[in-house]
Amino acid sequence: MAVAGRTTIRDVAAAAGVSPTTVSHALNGKGRIDPRTRARIQRTAERLGYQANRIARGLRSGRYGVQALWLPIEQDAASSDALTLDYYMRLASAMTKAFFTRGDVVMLIPPVGSSEKLVPLPTDGAIVVDPYDDDPRLAALRRLDIPTVTIERNPIDPDDPWCVASDTGDEIETLLEHLDSEGAERIALLVPEAMGAWSKEQREAYRTWSQRHGRDSLTRSLSLHSAFESADRAVRSLLMARPRPDAIVIGAERFVPGTMHAVADAGLSVPGDLLVAVAVDGNHARSSTPPLTAVDLQPERQAVAAAELLWRRLDGEEPQGQRTIPVILKVRESSRRQPGGARATGRAIDAGAADL
Amino acid sequence: MAVAGRTTIRDVAAAAGVSPTTVSHALNGKGRIDPRTRARIQRTAERLGYQANRIARGLRSGRYGVQALWLPIEQDAASSDALTLDYYMRLASAMTKAFFTRGDVVMLIPPVGSSEKLVPLPTDGAIVVDPYDDDPRLAALRRLDIPTVTIERNPIDPDDPWCVASDTGDEIETLLEHLDSEGAERIALLVPEAMGAWSKEQREAYRTWSQRHGRDSLTRSLSLHSAFESADRAVRSLLMARPRPDAIVIGAERFVPGTMHAVADAGLSVPGDLLVAVAVDGNHARSSTPPLTAVDLQPERQAVAAAELLWRRLDGEEPQGQRTIPVILKVRESSRRQPGGARATGRAIDAGAADL
DNA sequence: TGTCGTTGACAAATCGATTTTGGTCAAGGA
DNA sequence: TCCTTGACCAAAATCGATTTGTCAACGACA
């Protein structure tokens, strides 16, 4: 259909007065060919607008030129839910761009319940984002023998070298240091319960920092499923404690609305009575009122790193250890001690300088 | 690589004691085959875990089993920006699922500046979302002779039957009727300037309704580029007018933060002093404070309709006219006249019933 | 002069499926 | 008995590129 009438290697061969073999060699720099012949063939191909048919090429070479991107699945919840997080969108977008630089295209894997159905995956490799314990995605890909790179560590195998990880320790530490420098003394942490190496590392880093600074550990592990209610409840109870926390670090975007609701309901203001910061940046943080301090995980850099790693793996090269992507703290109004008419100012600064 | 050792049609043929031809026919229901033979072959294929190699199949049949999804490009702005809108995320997710029901996979097209580079698109067809005037995406696809379906009308050719459109007229009307029934008398409209049939239709529907009801037209066309500033400015000036508007319909998600900022800055409360509603639903509307009344465009249904249309087009069938997808009004706190302690209630209702 | 190595190009095999074309065998009719 | 006819299956062609194997021409060198 789309193929009808496309110029083939045979057309080029005929036009240049050589054999298809020679054309292939000339364009791919493979065989021994007279430089003049090569140049002539290249010109001819150019003139005819010849583009190798990826399918035919793939059939022979065994490479599809397609990479799979597998975002986290909600096993139970409305499955389109996960995708609405804008970190994942940025990641998906960046990933398509990163792969495209070398001609590969990215295919999205739909959230399928039974991993059986997706067997015939026309893909060379795959990127799995935020793997969790006993992740069926990894199992399926292993069964299909599809080379895989993960973004964030696989909790089952945290040392797997084919992995791009963000510097979670540094992330939490940065957040805590920042809140500390703004005067916070009792900092609480909300994290998703279990699942994924990422939240484990958050918890761990938080505990370490708290111990080192002689602070109490105020961790609440929440369900991502009923995110609003669980965050609301947890924050409500946190705010009733005496002494009351004076800062909250929110580990996942989905806990934000519940948290803000509980805070408002308790009659507290942000940042006046309580500093707030989020572990994942995005539109939601920028456009919240007040704008929320957040950590940019740099999905664009993660994407590039993951693509490079996957290409290396596909080429059969040796692993060189995990890639760690640094994080960037975006300070916004929600964590600035200065009170008063700062709102407008905060917005302006935010929109002008700090944001991508 | 991923192909190594995969069982081929030949393996199945050998195991079942027939020819590859017969296996192909048996599994695809093509030729005339003894039902018992067919069953035996199917069992054998099953046992061996045989899955047709999509590349080989594609080479012969001319079908790739891959469809392209092309979300709107920001020509100037940071390109990952567009993708962070969660309507597009839901759409992308739903699209992968819709196509997957018939074995097709969806490939994301990266936002490329020069449309030249993407020539060798290994794709059967394409979905273009929100086409705008002289859209380079449509031009590129036409040049490549790739059958295309658009989501929302092509402003250049609004009657193109290969199109899934949301019922914009109904959308705006529904919003206006709702606000009207809540007592609003001067309703303003913020829309993106030019570009895309969608905003044109919004403007048109708004004007029609206003005339019919003898209301003033209060339209502001804003730049999507500096969305925050332009919305902020526009709303500020709207709110200074006397008589002051008592309701605002926001035509695009990106105008929300600027609008809310201007409203708060003017010392007005929502919904107490001003009713607010948004034309596109999403997380942003649900988790805003207060939660915003919005229109759900039902991207899931759009996706299914688009997939069906594209398949039809690929099969060479005749167009049957555009598909119109109805919209659903999600009423939330931002447009409810009832004042007072409704916030908690509003949230609860919202999370429980109204939301997907 | 004859042999060998090198260069430059091409024919043919290959990838794994689908599609087209044949071919065999049994049943049924003349 | 011979000829159709239909049912069932297989051989071969095909898709468009890459890879392998072959071969002629030419110089260099013994």
Side-chain angles (χ1 to χ4, degrees):
Chain A
M1 175 123 296
V3 187
R6 272 272 269 281
T7 66
T8 77
I9 199 173
R10 241 170 285 271
D11 301 329
V12 179
V18 295
S19 76
T21 309
T22 308
V23 174
S24 173
H25 285 162
L27 297 179
N28 298 311
K30 281 294 174 58
R32 279 186 311 239
I33 296 199
D34 188 301
R36 291 180 315 240
T37 312
R38 184 187 301 272
R40 181 162 50 89
I41 293 177
Q42 280 167 343
R43 276 198 310 273
T44 311
E46 186 93 16
R47 182 164 53 81
L48 268 55
Y50 169 74
Q51 290 289 152
N53 179 321
R54 293 176 73 114
I55 290 216
R57 167 178 292 169
L59 181 56
R60 190 68 237 260
S61 65
R63 281 263 184 124
Y64 294 66
V66 176
Q67 312 291 350
L69 174 61
W70 213 340
L71 298 172
I73 308 172
E74 291 298 286
Q75 289 164 302
D76 39 12
S79 51
S80 60
D81 191 32
L83 280 179
T84 65
L85 299 178
D86 79 42
Y87 163 72
Y88 291 129
M89 275 256 78
R90 276 175 69 191
L91 192 59
S93 168
M95 203 68 85
T96 60
K97 234 184 305 181
F99 276 113
F100 211 70
T101 60
R102 268 184 34 185
D104 281 358
V105 298
V106 168
M107 151 190 133
L108 286 178
I109 308 293
V112 276
S114 83
S115 53
E116 288 313 317
K117 256 216 62 182
L118 64 86
V119 171
L121 228 44
T123 190
D124 297 323
I127 305 284
V128 169
V129 182
D130 288 344
Y132 44 87
D133 293 319
D134 284 319
D135 198 313
R137 296 173 293 171
L138 292 175
L141 292 169
R142 186 166 24 248
R143 193 158 38 72
L144 296 175
D145 215 10
I146 293 176
T148 302
V149 164
T150 64
I151 289 188
E152 301 309 337
R153 276 177 270 272
N154 176 2
I156 299 294
D157 179 14
D159 295 324
D160 180 3
W162 299 111
C163 167
V164 172
S166 50
D167 197 340
T168 314
D170 182 54
E171 176 195 26
I172 292 296
E173 212 163 302
T174 304
L175 276 172
L176 294 173
E177 294 290 350
H178 164 66
L179 293 171
D180 182 66
S181 77
E182 293 284 334
E185 298 189 337
R186 289 182 64 77
I187 308 176
L189 174 72
L190 307 182
V191 285
E193 59 193 3
M195 288 184 83
W198 201 64
S199 52
K200 279 182 197 165
E201 291 170 17
Q202 287 186 325
R203 244 187 302 255
E204 184 59 33
Y206 172 77
R207 192 163 2 160
T208 306
W209 187 90
S210 299
Q211 282 182 357
R212 202 169 61 234
H213 290 71
R215 307 285 179 83
D216 293 342
S217 251
L218 297 170
T219 306
R220 291 288 182 280
S221 294
L222 308 181
S223 152
L224 272 173
H225 186 38
S226 51
F228 183 87
E229 286 73 16
S230 56
D232 183 57
R233 226 184 351 258
V235 172
R236 213 172 279 275
S237 87
L238 275 171
L239 295 180
M240 295 210 293
R242 292 294 175 274
R244 176 162 63 66
D246 51 9
I248 296 185
V249 171
I250 306 175
E253 172 181 339
R254 265 185 267 178
F255 297 143
V256 172
T259 301
M260 299 309 276
H261 181 254
V263 171
D265 221 53
L268 300 178
S269 81
V270 174
D273 306 310
L274 189 76
L275 303 184
V276 170
V278 193
V280 182
D281 195 19
N283 274 343
H284 75 98
R286 272 189 295 278
S287 61
S288 170
T289 41
L292 301 176
T293 291
V295 172
D296 183 356
L297 300 178
Q298 303 203 81
E300 290 76 13
R301 292 188 55 183
Q302 294 180 325
V304 170
E308 282 168 4
L309 232 49
L310 186 52
W311 279 325
R312 223 183 341 244
R313 182 160 204 181
L314 288 170
D315 288 338
E317 292 179 26
E318 288 304 309
Q320 301 186 329
Q322 305 181 338
R323 288 283 311 272
T324 302
I325 307 295
V327 300
I328 296 177
L329 180 68
K330 306 257 182 169
V331 177
R332 304 203 181 91
E333 193 183 326
S334 73
S335 70
R336 290 205 194 93
R337 258 305 174 224
Q338 305 90 303
R343 193 188 264 176
T345 319
R347 228 321 160 175
I349 286 175
D350 189 49
D355 276 271
L356 86 152
Chain B
M1 175 124 298
V3 186
R6 272 273 270 280
T7 65
T8 76
I9 199 173
R10 241 171 285 271
D11 300 329
V12 178
V18 295
S19 75
T21 308
T22 308
V23 174
S24 174
H25 284 162
L27 297 180
N28 297 311
K30 283 293 173 58
R32 276 191 311 244
I33 295 199
D34 188 302
R36 291 182 315 244
T37 311
R38 184 186 300 274
R40 182 162 50 86
I41 292 176
Q42 279 168 343
R43 274 200 310 274
T44 311
E46 186 94 15
R47 182 164 54 79
L48 268 52
Y50 169 74
Q51 292 289 153
N53 179 323
R54 294 177 71 112
I55 289 209
R57 165 177 295 170
L59 180 57
R60 187 70 239 262
S61 63
R63 283 262 183 123
Y64 293 65
V66 176
Q67 313 291 350
L69 174 62
W70 214 338
L71 298 171
I73 308 174
E74 291 297 289
Q75 289 164 303
D76 39 11
S79 51
S80 60
D81 190 32
L83 280 179
T84 65
L85 299 178
D86 80 41
Y87 163 73
Y88 291 129
M89 278 254 73
R90 274 175 73 191
L91 192 60
S93 169
M95 204 67 85
T96 60
K97 235 184 307 182
F99 276 115
F100 210 71
T101 61
R102 267 183 35 186
D104 280 358
V105 298
V106 168
M107 160 188 124
L108 287 177
I109 307 292
V112 276
S114 85
S115 53
E116 288 311 318
K117 254 218 63 181
L118 63 86
V119 170
L121 228 44
T123 189
D124 297 322
I127 305 284
V128 169
V129 182
D130 287 343
Y132 45 88
D133 293 320
D134 283 320
D135 198 314
R137 295 173 294 171
L138 291 175
L141 291 169
R142 184 164 29 247
R143 192 159 37 74
L144 295 175
D145 214 11
I146 293 176
T148 301
V149 164
T150 65
I151 289 188
E152 302 308 339
R153 277 178 268 272
N154 177 3
I156 298 294
D157 178 14
D159 294 324
D160 180 3
W162 300 111
C163 167
V164 172
S166 48
D167 196 340
T168 313
D170 182 54
E171 177 195 25
I172 292 295
E173 213 162 302
T174 304
L175 276 173
L176 295 173
E177 295 289 350
H178 164 67
L179 293 171
D180 180 67
S181 77
E182 294 284 334
E185 300 188 338
R186 290 183 62 78
I187 308 177
L189 174 72
L190 306 182
V191 285
E193 59 192 1
M195 289 184 79
W198 202 63
S199 51
K200 281 181 196 165
E201 291 169 18
Q202 286 187 325
R203 243 186 302 253
E204 184 58 33
Y206 172 77
R207 191 164 4 164
T208 307
W209 188 90
S210 300
Q211 282 181 356
R212 202 170 60 233
H213 289 71
R215 305 289 178 83
D216 291 344
S217 250
L218 297 170
T219 305
R220 291 290 180 280
S221 294
L222 307 180
S223 152
L224 272 173
H225 186 40
S226 52
F228 182 87
E229 287 73 15
S230 56
D232 182 58
R233 228 187 344 263
V235 172
R236 214 173 279 271
S237 86
L238 276 171
L239 296 180
M240 294 209 294
R242 293 295 175 270
R244 174 162 64 66
D246 50 9
I248 296 185
V249 172
I250 307 175
E253 174 182 338
R254 265 185 266 177
F255 298 142
V256 172
T259 302
M260 299 309 276
H261 181 255
V263 171
D265 221 52
L268 300 178
S269 82
V270 174
D273 305 309
L274 188 77
L275 303 182
V276 170
V278 192
V280 183
D281 194 20
N283 274 342
H284 75 99
R286 273 189 294 278
S287 60
S288 170
T289 41
L292 301 176
T293 291
V295 172
D296 184 356
L297 300 178
Q298 303 203 80
E300 291 76 14
R301 291 187 57 181
Q302 294 180 324
V304 170
E308 281 168 4
L309 232 50
L310 186 52
W311 278 324
R312 232 196 317 258
R313 183 160 205 181
L314 288 170
D315 288 339
E317 294 180 25
E318 288 304 308
Q320 302 184 330
Q322 304 182 339
R323 287 283 310 275
T324 301
I325 308 294
V327 300
I328 296 177
L329 180 68
K330 306 257 180 165
V331 176
R332 304 206 180 91
E333 195 184 326
S334 71
S335 69
R336 290 203 195 95
R337 258 302 174 224
Q338 304 89 305
R343 190 188 267 176
T345 319
R347 227 324 160 173
I349 287 173
D350 188 47
D355 278 270
L356 91 153

